[in-house]
Amino acid sequence: MIRLEEINKVFYKKNKEIQALKNVSLEIDSGEIFGIIGYSGSGKSTLVRTINLLERPTSGRIFLSNDEITHYSDKQLIPFRRKIGMIFQHFNLLSSQSVFDNIAFPLTLTGMPKEQIRQRVNELLSLIDLLEKAEDYPASLSGGQKQRVAIARALASDPEILLCDEATSALDPQTTRSILSLLKRINRELGITIVLITHQMEVVRAICQRVAVISQGEIIETNETEALFQQAQSPITNELLNPSLFID
């Protein structure tokens, strides 16, 4: 389980205080696919980055299972971060490394023996249906293939949690469907908890079991996905779910 309690995050820019997160509390169950939706600048990316403390909160507490990790040092966080994979909108692949070496990269950092790395990477290449692309380089791949490689790299260390920050925003609809299908398969077969940040309502409806809506750094609504679509309580949620109704 992931539990956030009263999370606040303040940034300072030219002596100006910007509160990115305001008293955010969330519980995400083990093994579920949980969506966080909101407009650009709503704080959703900051929120997901607090889960693995890439962004340390100004105040509040973060728990992974029953361990409070809020004030852990970077050294203390190493074993916890290995349990958390992360994928991004723009893939973040190493352009000078092959597909195989991109996936192997986090394993080489741990000192895993080469034969074990080879076996693990081939398992992941099979999972993402890119065995034939092992020796190719990112520049030769389509956007969907790049994201599959990024997903495999995030899974290399056998994490318990996968954080997806706008992972399908740069993809066309057909490719988005294939990536969502892969994520659902990963969740189903590997039991990995997935936290998905997006502004794409069709993505939320296709894959998420529960959803939180964030606006101006605050969680304004949380519900099961279908209940949210059928009975949204907040005007902002209605705008997000039905954008065509709010065009001037």
Side-chain angles (χ1 to χ4, degrees):
M1 177 186 288
I2 302 165
R3 189 164 84 251
L4 308 180
E5 294 184 353
E6 298 294 320
I7 297 297
N8 290 278
K9 177 64 179 180
V10 177
F11 293 102
Y12 294 92
K13 187 175 182 180
K14 295 182 179 179
N15 298 322
K16 182 180 179 182
E17 183 178 290
I18 301 170
Q19 188 158 7
L21 298 175
K22 304 174 186 176
N23 298 318
V24 171
S25 295
L26 278 179
E27 285 194 9
I28 300 170
D29 295 332
S30 297
E32 79 171 324
I33 302 177
F34 189 93
I36 301 172
I37 62 174
Y39 289 119
S40 296
S42 62
K44 57 187 185 296
S45 291
T46 301
L47 175 56
V48 79
R49 289 168 63 88
T50 63
I51 293 174
N52 57 3
L53 290 176
L54 288 177
E55 291 286 356
R56 289 183 177 269
T58 305
S59 64
R61 302 199 296 171
I62 301 167
F63 294 82
L64 295 183
S65 297
N66 292 318
D67 295 297
E68 184 184 356
I69 65 170
T70 320
H71 301 295
Y72 277 18
S73 68
D74 287 342
K75 185 176 181 179
Q76 289 174 307
L77 284 171
I78 289 172
F80 287 91
R81 284 180 171 152
R82 286 177 182 154
K83 298 179 183 179
I84 304 175
M86 193 163 188
I87 58 175
F88 306 88
Q89 178 178 353
H90 297 297
F91 323 126
N92 291 2
L93 300 180
L94 301 169
S95 61
S96 62
Q97 300 291 316
S98 68
V99 166
F100 184 99
D101 289 336
N102 265 280
I103 298 171
F105 181 69
L107 300 177
T108 61
L109 295 179
T110 68
M112 179 182 286
K114 288 185 178 180
E115 181 55 30
Q116 290 184 31
I117 290 176
R118 185 192 65 80
Q119 181 177 347
R120 178 61 175 157
V121 172
N122 283 334
E123 288 173 356
L124 291 166
L125 284 167
S126 180
L127 176 68
I128 64 171
D129 297 321
L130 287 180
L131 268 171
E132 75 284 359
K133 298 288 187 180
E135 301 306 319
D136 291 7
Y137 286 80
S140 69
L141 303 179
S142 68
Q145 289 170 335
K146 289 177 183 177
Q147 194 59 284
R148 285 175 177 270
V149 175
I151 290 170
R153 182 183 58 189
L155 296 176
S157 299
D158 198 21
E160 298 174 5
I161 298 165
L162 183 61
L163 306 179
C164 305
D165 190 359
E166 297 281 8
T168 60
S169 294
L171 305 176
D172 62 73
Q174 182 176 353
T175 305
T176 292
R177 286 192 292 271
S178 72
I179 293 298
L180 295 181
S181 178
L182 175 60
L183 290 174
K184 289 183 79 169
R185 179 182 169 198
I186 288 167
N187 171 258
R188 181 176 64 251
E189 295 182 5
L190 304 181
I192 293 176
T193 305
I194 296 176
V195 183
L196 192 147
I197 303 298
T198 186
H199 63 274
Q200 297 172 289
M201 298 307 104
E202 65 275 16
V203 168
V204 166
R205 195 161 203 172
I207 194 173
C208 296
Q209 295 153 345
R210 289 195 302 136
V211 186
V213 182
I214 187 170
S215 177
Q216 297 183 337
E218 297 182 88
I219 299 296
I220 59 173
E221 192 166 354
T222 304
N223 211 334
E224 293 181 359
T225 302
E226 284 307 311
L228 189 77
F229 273 81
Q230 294 172 13
Q231 298 178 338
Q233 301 299 309
S234 163
I236 291 174
T237 304
N238 275 308
E239 288 181 29
L240 284 162
L241 299 182
N242 304 286
S244 61
L245 299 181
F246 294 87
I247 295 175
D248 292 331

